[in-house]
Amino acid sequence: MVNITKPGKGTHIEHSDNVSATNNTITWDGELFKIVPKSFFAAAVDGEILQIVFCALMFAIGLCKVPSRNVRQAMISFLHALSETMFKVTGLVMNYAPIGIGFSIAATVGKNGLGVLLSLGKLVGVLYGTLAIFIIVVFVPIMLISRVPVKKFFLTTWQPFLLAFTTASSESALPKAMECLEHKMGIPKKIVGFVIPTGYSFNLDGTSLYLSLAVIYCAQATNTSLPLGKQLVIMLTLMLTTKGMAAVPRASFVVLSAALGNFNIPNDALSLVLGVDAFMDMARTGVNVMGNCLAACVIARWEGVYPPYGRWEGRWAERDPRILDNLAINGHEETGQWEELDSRNSRKLEA
């Protein structure tokens, strides 16, 4: 879509002199060798996302092999606290981002003309169109192949999708998504509790599409040549680097900035993308939530705990987790009532 519509063409943003626009030759073996860094600190300083991901994976594997559970839990608690703290620091910085974005867009429009605003509107339209095509071409066939009820799925996921769309945060839609899948679709709680939180880190369809589109837009806006082979490498790289991304607004912007540097694309158009990032963030977050909900349905069908097309009929009627949960709750209440009655009778006999 972005290669056909070319939203960045005609913008003509002049890149700074201190930004190299020279494209190095990218090969598969070269990219594989670049994954392994000399050290973690060197990768962090240079902003090499793939190398940082590699170090994180090696650290996680080593942590899993630690025999002491207390040591593992202490390290996990420390990393979780560090992650939460850094998110708050990033949030403080992003609070001042609108001021910088406004001045940056004003300077860019004054230098390059009003045509920049037209290209940004075109960029937002291309993203929304691409995500809509992705839902029709990818999500719907998966539902049909897995025999998931299409109409019921969209009606069920509409509320968490709308919540994620309006807040631009997947985390805010997490409780509602899990509730709708369990109570309306009938997906077992153990499937929902595992697939949905895991998908929030590893199943980011909308974010991967957005980043690929934004990188190509920045290249078009700065007149940087991107052959089809290099675009495929960028797409595969972004699919990997989005894993583990925080489900908070504008978290993907950090990955986008690093990706431009890795592929020698001038980042002068980055401020323009940030100016409309809020509008694009809403759409890609909604698609992420919908993709995670679909993954839970597919896994439930795969495990044989969800009937074809969601029809809890015949032999499936007795396996409906919603009915089983109600029976368990009612049975627990009745057991509690009998136990309370027995204790009262015992006290009377003792008296």
Side-chain angles (χ1 to χ4, degrees), residues 139-187:
F139 283 0
V140 173
I142 290 177
M143 296 180 206
L144 297 177
I145 294 174
S146 303
R147 293 192 289 180
V148 175
V150 178
K151 182 178 180 181
K152 186 176 182 180
F153 174 80
F154 283 115
L155 291 177
T156 301
T157 58
W158 172 248
Q159 287 185 338
F161 172 84
L162 189 62
L163 184 59
F165 183 86
T166 52
T167 61
S169 174
S170 300
E171 295 290 353
S172 61
L174 177 62
K176 193 65 179 179
M178 298 178 70
E179 177 187 349
C180 290
L181 288 175
E182 293 175 17
H183 299 155
K184 294 183 179 180
M185 291 289 289
I187 306 297

Side-chain angles (χ1 to χ4, degrees), residues 99-309:
I99 300 175
I101 294 169
F103 285 110
S104 179
I105 292 179
T108 304
V109 172
K111 182 178 180 181
N112 301 282
L114 293 174
V116 173
L117 298 179
L118 181 62
S119 70
L120 289 177
K122 195 175 181 181
L123 173 63
V124 175
V126 169
L127 177 66
Y128 276 68
T130 302
L131 293 176
I133 294 174
F134 179 78
I135 292 175
I136 297 173
V137 175
V138 178
F139 283 0
V140 173
I142 290 177
M143 296 180 206
L144 297 177
I145 294 174
S146 303
R147 293 192 289 180
V148 175
V150 178
K151 182 178 180 181
K152 186 176 182 180
F153 174 80
F154 283 115
L155 291 177
T156 301
T157 58
W158 172 248
Q159 287 185 338
F161 172 84
L162 189 62
L163 184 59
F165 183 86
T166 52
T167 61
S169 174
S170 300
E171 295 290 353
S172 61
L174 177 62
K176 193 65 179 179
M178 298 178 70
E179 177 187 349
C180 290
L181 288 175
E182 293 175 17
H183 299 155
K184 294 183 179 180
M185 291 289 289
I187 306 297
K189 187 174 183 178
K190 61 180 181 180
I191 299 290
V192 176
F194 175 77
V195 176
I196 296 297
T198 305
Y200 268 46
S201 296
F202 295 98
N203 186 24
L204 304 175
D205 303 320
T207 301
S208 299
L209 288 173
Y210 157 74
L211 289 173
S212 302
L213 187 147
V215 168
I216 298 176
Y217 170 82
C218 292
Q220 292 175 353
T222 54
N223 294 323
T224 304
S225 176
L226 280 182
L228 182 60
K230 190 172 182 179
Q231 292 183 24
L232 292 176
V233 174
I234 292 174
M235 182 188 68
L236 294 175
T237 303
L238 292 174
M239 288 177 62
L240 178 61
T241 53
T242 53
K243 308 309 177 188
M245 183 182 298
V248 295
R250 282 166 290 283
S252 59
F253 196 76
V254 178
V255 177
L256 174 60
S257 177
L260 294 178
N262 286 344
F263 292 97
N264 297 318
I265 300 174
N267 57 5
D268 296 81
L270 204 57
S271 59
L272 295 179
V273 177
L274 185 58
V276 293
D277 183 73
F279 300 102
M280 297 188 290
D281 199 4
M282 296 188 296
R284 67 173 180 262
T285 302
V287 173
N288 288 340
V289 172
M290 186 177 292
N292 291 325
C293 293
L294 178 58
C297 296
V298 172
I299 295 298
R301 286 285 301 129
W302 190 3
E303 293 293 323
V305 293
Y306 187 73
Y309 305 108

